[in-house]
Amino acid sequence: MIVKRTLATLAAAAAFAGTFGIPAARAETTLVVVPHSNLAILDPIWTTAYMSRNHGYMIYDTLFGTDENSKIQPQMVGSWTVSADKKVYDFKLREGLLFHDGAPVTGEDVVASLARWGKRDAMGGALMTFVDKMEATGADAFRITLKEPAGFVLEALGKPSSNVPFIMPKRVAETDPTKQITEYIGSGPYVFVKDEFKPGDKAVYVKFDKYQPRKEKPSGTAGGKHVYVDKVVWNLALRDYQAQVNALANGEVDIIENVPFQHYATLLKNKDIEIRKSKIGLQYMCRFNHLHKPFDNVKVRQAVLASFRQQPFLQAQVGVKDLYKPCASMFTCGTPYGVSTGSEIQSKGSMRKAQELLKKSGYDGTPVVIMKPTDLSSIDKLPEVAAQLMRQMGMKVDLQAMDWQTLVSRRAKKDPVDKGGWNMFCTAWVSPDIGNPINNAALGARGAATPWFGWPEDAKLEELRAAFMRETDEKKKVALAGEVQKRAFEVGTHAPLGEYVQPQAGRKAIKGWITSGLAHTYWNIKK
Amino acid sequence: MYQFIARRLLSTIPVLAIVAVLVFMLLRLTPGDPAAILAGDAASTEQIEGIRKTLGLDQPLPVQFGIWLGQMLQGDLGESYYYKVRVTELIGQRLEPTLSLAALTIVIAILVAVPLGVVAAWRFGGWFDRALMGFSVFGFSVPVFVVGYLLVWLVSLKLGWFPVQGYKPMDDGFGPFLYHLVLPSITLSVIYIALLARVTRASVLEALGEDYIRTARAKGLTESRVLISHALANAAVPIVTIIGIGIALLIGGVVVTESVYAIPGLGRLTVDAVLSRDFPTIQGVILFFSLVYVVVNLLVDLSYVILDPRIRY
């Protein structure tokens, strides 16, 4: 009787709530993520740091996105046309795009955002050399007029990695590009809760209720950015790998962005945890300093390339067979430009051949200073392997240990080795950042004026890159990418060392999680 | 007494000045360029140069020092290169977790170590004394991170009693605050229990050999009264000294525990600042630590007056 009466009361209460539109109480869902690093800089245009890029994806939207097959897809743009002479691009924004302060996104916001991005990003800068003018042609439209046709307009606007052309309100985008923005308002799927941001502790994002996702299936950084959780918290304090794994196993966090290789096998055995590998991953490389002996000599670089078989590097550094694969391309294998043209010097190299090449090079015994980062477990073994192979070849090697930040500072120095300079360092790039001849920073060859460290100089390589930029036919672009790569191997700009995927781990209860390998994004997730 | 306090406070000025100059110079001499770190991996040399100019790092060292000194004299520790937040604000944000961890650690250490040390001294040479000395060696020898991981494995992952990581501020309620702090505090207290128990044992043992203890016993006082009111009270000065040093060390040196348990305290802030060559933050934090050391030492010295009436300043 009592049970019946209680049920009747509950039913009446439910009917009352329904009649008057009172929403049923619902527990707030919070997704707790352990990012791969600390978030410090909140301006993803000012810095190329990946954490700032990922923060950008939370709160900003992009004109175009890149899907998981590395194809450019419209995102904020609803439709666009290209003139017959391929010099005028007219874009119209989708309906209903709003910034977090409620203001509509306009063509003027887009133009100001692109202008600032073009002053910071390498690919954006390359695009701006082709741009005659950018203008708003209506409240929701804008036009880009080029001086001559360029084959990478949409690729640049939809580039998935740093610096991503995020769209900001005009007043924010007008910030001096050499200074950081101080207002963090975007039109993306999440709103940044500035008051709850504690550097080194946590960053909090809440769902933007007025965000209008696209209808297409989410894929990479493109498609519908649906938000099914109320809040996302980035745990910035949890940086010890063992503690991260413990916290995930205990259900205190939902996702770990970077699973260290040494914990991979342990986590695979945990039935409550799902390990995810992205379709595309990262590429290892060792970079020569072309300004100083012995790597100012192309024949020495060729000899080193011949000795740098990828397998030993991958085996020593990653160790887990599921997670690495040799790749003969300087671009990303499995993508349209991931060709092997001209890579034979390395892919078919051998120690005997390397020793012969070194003998012919006139190498005078100058020691090679390799900078080895001791605090970055994802790349710390590469210099050891490089040193061993070079010693085996007959070179003198000075392997200098330092923390990554010292390495980052030192590699910017053009000074000779005896004045604090260097000869070689090894690093890893996410695939989108090396995906084509324009954004692959290691392929710049303007000598000391080259933006990225190592400073190779080769006019022919620069000509080929410029031809790639101008080419609009996709088949010819693929062929040109092959030509660029062939020349880069001849010049010996750097040594690609194969690809790997950095696994991510999450609780099995998490559904819809996108692990494209392009960037870490947190839409479409159900908890 | 007041003269002593004034003199001690005045003496902090040259100490802080020397620390300031040393830290400033050492940071500039160590390799590492904050601009290159801030710019990110794919930044060009021009972008790095631009950032260096914005931060004023292209200025001569005396100019940079002059600017910083000018700010400091106005009570401004500058702005973090990395976080774009005032250093005083950063220290303020991180102070609560570190102070809470230090306070609970010291409370646990005192509550456990002092009675153990007294009992060990009372039962000198017995099994309890030998066991405590054994534990003491263990406490000193085992690294904090090993204790931390073992406790996490047993208490959090196997028994599920406490969380693996994290910190809840007092604003979130005293229950969650304590719930998150117990395990890190126990971890950190192991070494202090070992240290404090040893010092307490040695001090009480020395006091127990004094004439006034024999007199107290001859008067017919209970053994507990003899131990607490006479032996422990007279052994308090070295114990309080160790506690004082412990507090100062804990505030500046809980890096490992903060890392293992993901506590966003001053230790982590210091490590992050060093790794990112965030000069203003490193300088600010080290100055703050110096001030803490000076103040804690002063308080310890003043406590001697209360603990031992023979001491006068």
Side-chain angles (χ1 to χ4, degrees):
Chain A
M1 189 65 181
I2 292 168
V3 173
K4 269 188 184 172
R5 201 181 298 153
T6 310
L7 285 173
T9 311
L10 284 174
F16 178 82
T19 308
F20 292 94
I22 299 169
R26 185 179 66 88
E28 185 183 76
T29 48
T30 302
L31 184 78
V32 183
V33 175
V34 182
H36 67 274
S37 184
N38 187 14
L39 175 69
I41 301 161
L42 301 175
D43 185 346
I45 304 299
W46 188 83
T47 181
T48 60
Y50 291 150
M51 277 302 291
S52 305
R53 174 201 65 189
N54 296 348
H55 160 77
Y57 273 114
M58 296 296 280
I59 67 170
Y60 301 108
D61 211 346
T62 54
L63 297 170
F64 288 85
T66 303
D67 70 16
E68 59 190 19
N69 298 314
S70 301
K71 293 221 167 76
I72 300 296
Q73 304 290 355
Q75 188 52 236
M76 292 171 83
V77 166
S79 60
W80 75 100
T81 58
V82 185
S83 66
D85 63 359
K86 294 180 178 171
K87 281 168 47 175
V88 182
Y89 286 71
D90 273 303
F91 301 92
K92 194 166 165 41
L93 298 172
R94 280 194 289 136
E95 275 180 30
L97 298 179
L98 294 174
F99 284 113
H100 300 155
D101 59 0
V105 181
T106 67
E108 287 191 346
D109 297 315
V110 173
V111 169
S113 299
L114 292 182
R116 185 167 188 264
W117 164 74
K119 286 176 186 147
R120 296 296 295 181
D121 179 60
M123 199 165 177
L127 179 64
M128 292 306 150
T129 61
F130 285 83
V131 170
D132 182 26
K133 62 178 173 181
M134 295 191 291
E135 60 195 323
T137 49
D140 60 351
F142 67 100
R143 175 180 294 157
I144 297 177
T145 308
L146 305 179
K147 291 180 244 175
E148 58 174 315
F152 65 104
V153 177
L154 300 189
E155 280 87 344
L157 298 182
K159 76 183 288 239
S161 196
S162 298
N163 302 92
V164 179
F166 292 118
I167 303 305
M168 302 173 176
K170 186 180 175 217
R171 66 176 184 283
V172 179
E174 280 175 346
T175 305
D176 177 350
T178 63
K179 296 196 168 92
Q180 294 182 46
I181 57 169
T182 52
E183 194 184 350
Y184 313 105
I185 287 185
S187 62
Y190 289 97
V191 179
F192 179 58
V193 188
K194 197 183 170 191
D195 292 344
E196 288 195 49
F197 175 53
K198 285 189 183 166
D201 184 3
K202 64 174 178 177
V204 178
Y205 305 87
V206 293
K207 178 182 178 175
F208 179 39
D209 287 326
K210 291 176 183 164
Y211 182 76
Q212 300 283 334
R214 292 190 71 91
K215 292 194 173 62
E216 295 90 340
K217 204 179 139 204
S219 174
T221 63
K225 297 176 179 177
H226 295 274
V227 174
Y228 301 112
V229 293
D230 299 299
K231 196 192 255 190
V232 176
V233 175
W234 285 4
N235 184 334
L236 305 171
L238 188 52
R239 269 173 281 156
D240 177 80
Y241 286 137
Q242 184 61 56
Q244 288 181 5
V245 169
N246 289 343
L248 184 69
N250 218 30
E252 292 174 32
V253 299
D254 298 309
I255 292 171
I256 301 179
E257 272 186 7
N258 265 13
V259 173
F261 303 129
Q262 64 268 31
H263 290 292
Y264 178 73
T266 315
L267 283 175
L268 267 183
K269 287 179 201 155
N270 190 320
K271 61 181 183 352
D272 297 322
I273 290 169
E274 184 185 352
I275 299 267
R276 289 212 177 179
K277 293 183 283 178
S278 54
K279 193 174 168 185
I280 54 170
L282 299 94
Q283 188 180 89
Y284 286 128
M285 69 164 69
C286 280
R287 178 66 155 178
F288 305 111
N289 185 345
H290 294 240
L291 297 181
H292 304 298
K293 275 172 81 174
F295 293 138
D296 58 345
N297 179 347
V298 64
K299 288 178 181 166
V300 177
R301 299 197 296 270
Q302 291 278 333
V304 173
L305 272 173
S307 75
F308 275 17
R309 302 296 301 272
Q310 294 182 348
Q311 195 69 22
F313 287 96
L314 294 167
Q315 224 163 345
Q317 185 60 62
V318 183
V320 185
K321 269 191 178 172
D322 301 357
L323 301 177
Y324 68 76
K325 62 172 183 200
C327 167
S329 182
M330 285 180 171
F331 307 114
T332 311
C333 282
T335 64
Y337 303 130
V339 291
S340 58
T341 318
S343 64
E344 295 76 15
I345 179 78
Q346 187 188 14
S347 58
K348 292 186 178 156
S350 66
M351 188 48 74
R352 188 186 292 176
K353 193 176 170 188
Q355 284 164 337
E356 282 168 17
L357 285 169
L358 188 68
K359 207 176 274 178
K360 286 179 195 162
S361 71
Y363 171 67
D364 61 359
T366 307
V368 175
V369 170
I370 306 181
M371 298 190 287
K372 172 189 153 66
T374 50
D375 56 338
L376 217 56
S377 63
S378 58
I379 57 169
D380 62 352
K381 295 178 189 74
L382 301 175
E384 304 270 6
V385 180
Q388 178 57 30
L389 290 173
M390 284 196 279
R391 282 182 186 130
Q392 216 173 318
M393 195 175 36
M395 297 183 83
K396 282 185 189 161
V397 178
D398 178 7
L399 192 63
Q400 295 187 4
M402 60 195 74
D403 69 296
W404 175 246
Q405 305 298 14
T406 302
L407 189 155
V408 165
S409 308
R410 189 166 162 188
R411 73 178 179 182
K413 286 187 177 180
K414 292 175 185 161
D415 301 328
V417 174
D418 57 354
K419 289 185 178 149
W422 55 276
N423 293 121
M424 180 184 269
F425 72 91
C426 302
T427 188
W429 286 91
V430 294
S431 294
D433 281 346
I434 49 151
N436 64 55
I438 308 168
N439 68 2
N440 191 324
L443 297 176
R446 289 188 280 133
T450 307
W452 203 59
F453 324 96
W455 311 285
E457 185 165 12
D458 186 65
K460 190 179 170 191
L461 184 53
E462 280 297 296
E463 276 168 28
L464 285 166
R465 291 180 73 220
F468 179 88
M469 288 185 206
R470 282 193 295 272
E471 186 53 64
T472 54
D473 181 85
E474 198 48 50
K475 274 188 184 164
K476 288 180 185 165
K477 279 169 80 174
V478 172
L480 272 169
E483 287 301 305
V484 168
Q485 178 173 282
K486 187 172 174 235
R487 185 61 188 165
F489 270 112
E490 284 165 6
V491 172
T493 51
H494 64 286
L497 303 175
E499 292 181 354
Y500 72 102
V501 286
Q502 184 71 57
Q504 297 169 59
R507 301 286 301 174
K508 280 228 168 107
I510 305 296
K511 305 286 177 205
W513 176 23
I514 300 168
T515 47
S516 62
L518 298 169
H520 296 292
T521 57
Y522 294 101
W523 50 78
N524 202 47
I525 295 178
K526 288 181 182 166
K527 184 181 173 185
Chain B
M1 173 84 154
Y2 292 113
Q3 266 186 343
F4 169 76
I5 295 171
R7 224 173 30 243
R8 285 291 298 267
L9 287 175
L10 278 175
S11 71
T12 60
I13 295 169
V15 171
L16 292 179
I18 292 167
V19 170
V21 176
L22 275 179
V23 171
F24 185 90
M25 293 313 296
L26 278 174
L27 285 176
R28 266 69 183 179
L29 290 174
T30 47
D33 178 3
I37 296 157
L38 283 166
D41 240 14
S44 65
T45 37
E46 283 73 26
Q47 283 175 332
I48 293 170
E49 199 48 50
I51 293 173
R52 198 174 289 128
K53 272 186 189 151
T54 313
L55 297 176
L57 292 167
D58 58 333
Q59 303 274 343
L61 272 189
V63 176
Q64 289 183 43
F65 184 70
I67 294 169
W68 181 61
L69 197 65
Q71 285 176 334
M72 220 176 52
L73 289 174
Q74 294 169 43
D76 180 6
L77 294 176
E79 188 182 73
S80 158
Y81 291 161
Y82 203 47
Y83 298 124
K84 287 287 162 204
V85 174
R86 308 308 299 172
V87 172
T88 39
E89 193 185 323
L90 271 179
I91 293 174
Q93 281 178 1
R94 304 298 185 93
L95 199 55
E96 188 198 300
T98 299
L99 279 183
S100 309
L101 183 58
L104 191 58
T105 302
I106 285 294
V107 167
I108 293 172
I110 293 171
L111 289 179
V112 176
V114 173
L116 288 180
V118 171
V119 174
W122 180 46
R123 290 282 177 248
F124 173 67
W127 67 267
F128 186 85
D129 182 29
R130 284 201 297 272
L132 185 68
M133 288 306 99
F135 165 78
S136 171
V137 171
F138 170 81
F140 282 129
S141 320
V142 182
V144 174
F145 72 90
V146 174
V147 178
Y149 285 138
L150 281 174
L151 282 175
V152 165
W153 175 78
L154 181 69
V155 182
S156 299
L157 294 175
K158 292 290 162 197
L159 301 171
W161 291 349
F162 291 105
V164 164
Q165 53 82 41
Y167 173 77
K168 289 276 177 201
M170 207 123 43
D171 292 347
D172 289 4
F174 189 69
F177 165 78
L178 207 59
Y179 181 57
H180 281 81
L181 215 55
V182 168
L183 211 53
S185 300
I186 292 174
T187 303
L188 202 52
S189 66
V190 169
I191 191 164
Y192 289 98
I193 290 172
L195 176 68
L196 204 54
R198 242 186 137 87
V199 171
T200 306
R201 174 186 172 273
S203 304
V204 172
L205 201 58
E206 195 183 329
L208 285 174
E210 297 291 336
D211 292 343
Y212 55 81
I213 296 292
R214 203 178 314 127
T215 311
R217 280 181 177 145
K219 277 192 332 191
L221 292 181
T222 60
E223 200 59 18
S224 59
R225 187 104 189 263
V226 170
L227 281 172
I228 295 165
S229 304
H230 294 271
L232 186 59
N234 282 287
V237 169
I239 296 170
V240 168
T241 308
I242 292 295
I243 292 170
I245 293 168
I247 291 170
L249 285 175
L250 277 170
I251 289 171
V254 291
V255 180
V256 176
T257 311
E258 286 184 358
S259 294
V260 170
Y261 291 100
I263 295 170
L266 282 172
R268 272 240 59 108
L269 178 67
T270 314
V271 172
D272 287 345
V274 169
L275 289 177
S276 57
R277 309 294 190 272
D278 190 352
F279 294 162
T281 306
I282 304 170
Q283 287 160 183
V285 169
I286 291 180
L287 272 182
F288 175 75
F289 287 156
S290 312
L291 196 64
V292 167
Y293 275 90
V294 171
V295 170
V296 167
N297 272 317
L298 178 63
L299 291 175
V300 168
D301 285 351
L302 292 176
S303 73
Y304 294 164
V305 180
I306 301 160
L307 296 170
D308 189 345
R310 290 169 300 181
I311 297 173
R312 284 279 174 271
Y313 296 117

